[in-house]
Amino acid sequence: MLEAENLMVFFENAIAINDLSIHVKRGEIVAILGSNSAGKTTLMNTISGLLIDMKKKESRRGGIRITIMGSLKYEGREIINTKPTQRVRMGIVLSQERHPVFRESDVHENLKIAGYLQPSSVVKERIKLVFDIFPVLEKLRSRKAGLLSGGEQQMLSIGIALVANPRLLLMDEPFLGLSPMLQADLARATKDIGKQGITILITEQFARPIMPVIDRGYVIENGMLVFQGTREELMDNPEIRSGYMGI
Ligand SMILES: Nc1ncnc2c1ncn2[C@@H]1O[C@H](COP(=O)(O)OP(=O)(O)OP(=O)(O)O)[C@@H](O)[C@H]1O
Ligand SMILES: [Mg+2]
């Protein structure tokens, strides 16, 4: 479904993604593991195309120079230069680490706004799915988004991404800052999303909460691939265990 080959991303002369190749097959849940500044967000922004917008913005205001190289194929089509809005239409949807929500609008309104490009019948169905996956959001449907807890806002961000009808859902550190209980909820929700036929690429700094959910994973350091394998191979690797699972 997704094949990234020899991706390189530079911010000025600093290299953030270094000759990285990854692939994701339809129906898989794949992890990108990496510590702070490993390049996780940059990779997600490269795949979602957000980096193209950032690059344009920077060059308009004479800011830092962003260079993107390599190949990114989605369903066999080269998309490395495709605009992010177009990629969303193709089904590539990013749920950001801290997605901006409309703080003055309630949960239900936020979800409706997220579906503005789609027919209302479809949006209704998508919102029902979001409430099935995150029952807590249904309970809070009339609460202003600005009043939600951090964890609840994180669920809402993922809900917003789901309304956009993804075929490939990109999640950037969704477990960050969640209590163990919420992490378990989110792990279950991630599995449920996968069962809907949605392919998932998920970044995380700590492997433990996502291990039960993923099929495969890549470990990156300084933008470079250092290890890849199935869940079992990751679990069996002593360096990964001590570096990313704390065991
Ligand atoms: N807009 C930017 N301008 C300049 N350098 C950047 C920019 N965004 C990221 N970088 C650099 O690229 C490298 C990778 O950063 P990135 O945010 O992708 O890491 P990360 O793995 O998401 O880290 P974290 O776990 O802290 O979120 C870092 O060295 C960072 O300083
Ligand atoms: Mg990040």
Side-chain angles (χ1 to χ4, degrees):
M1 176 170 225
L2 184 81
E3 281 141 12
E5 298 280 351
N6 311 108
L7 284 183
M8 304 274 254
V9 177
F10 295 86
F11 294 104
E12 288 295 336
N13 295 322
I15 193 157
I17 299 288
N18 191 349
D19 199 23
L20 190 61
S21 300
I22 67 157
H23 68 271
V24 183
K25 284 188 242 150
R26 185 172 303 133
E28 277 190 317
I29 302 182
V30 175
I32 304 287
L33 295 172
S35 47
N36 282 127
S37 1
K40 302 181 296 296
T41 300
T42 306
L43 179 62
M44 291 308 222
N45 290 345
T46 306
I47 298 172
S48 69
L50 220 59
L51 206 60
I52 294 183
D53 279 357
M54 287 165 69
K55 177 181 163 150
K56 282 194 195 136
K57 213 187 270 170
E58 289 290 345
S59 75
R60 260 204 305 274
R61 59 176 197 126
I64 59 157
R65 191 161 35 90
I66 301 176
T67 313
I68 309 163
M69 294 192 295
S71 159
L72 187 64
K73 283 207 178 111
Y74 175 70
E75 318 245 270
R77 251 175 86 184
E78 183 58 64
I79 57 158
I80 193 84
N81 293 315
T82 304
K83 285 186 197 147
T85 45
Q86 180 63 26
R87 292 190 204 186
V88 171
R89 271 186 226 116
M90 295 167 85
I92 305 176
V93 181
L94 171 68
S95 163
Q96 281 168 283
E97 204 173 312
R98 277 181 199 83
H99 193 282
V101 293
F102 295 100
R103 302 180 63 81
E104 289 305 311
S105 303
D106 69 30
V107 166
H108 192 228
E109 283 159 354
N110 265 279
L111 293 170
K112 279 196 287 194
I113 296 165
Y116 76 102
L117 284 175
Q118 303 174 63
S120 63
S121 57
V122 175
V123 176
K124 248 191 191 154
E125 227 168 80
R126 302 301 301 176
I127 292 178
K128 187 180 171 300
L129 172 71
V130 171
F131 287 160
D132 283 347
I133 291 173
F134 298 110
V136 59
L137 289 182
E138 182 158 32
K139 277 187 215 126
L140 298 168
R141 58 185 290 149
S142 305
R143 172 106 28 113
K144 274 189 186 174
L147 300 177
L148 298 179
S149 74
E152 290 158 357
Q153 278 195 26
Q154 236 144 300
M155 311 271 172
L156 179 57
S157 313
I158 299 169
I160 285 171
L162 284 175
V163 173
N165 208 1
R167 290 164 65 199
L168 174 63
L169 177 64
L170 310 171
M171 296 201 269
D172 193 12
E173 294 206 61
F175 288 83
L176 189 73
L178 298 186
S179 69
M181 212 172 81
L182 282 179
Q183 287 189 343
D185 280 353
L186 183 56
R188 182 202 40 78
T190 305
K191 272 207 150 146
D192 287 350
I193 295 168
K195 279 190 204 135
Q196 293 294 318
I198 299 170
T199 307
I200 301 174
L201 186 63
I202 184 168
T203 73
E204 213 53 57
Q205 215 178 119
F206 304 105
R208 205 191 281 238
I210 58 169
M211 270 344 254
V213 175
I214 63 166
D215 299 304
R216 283 190 305 117
Y218 295 88
V219 181
I220 59 172
E221 280 171 16
N222 301 314
M224 274 187 287
L225 182 70
V226 295
F227 188 83
Q228 61 168 309
T230 61
R231 172 179 49 200
E232 290 72 27
E233 286 164 344
L234 288 165
M235 303 265 278
D236 288 346
N237 185 297
E239 279 165 43
I240 310 287
R241 288 168 74 91
S242 67
Y244 298 92
M245 294 177 220
I247 32 179

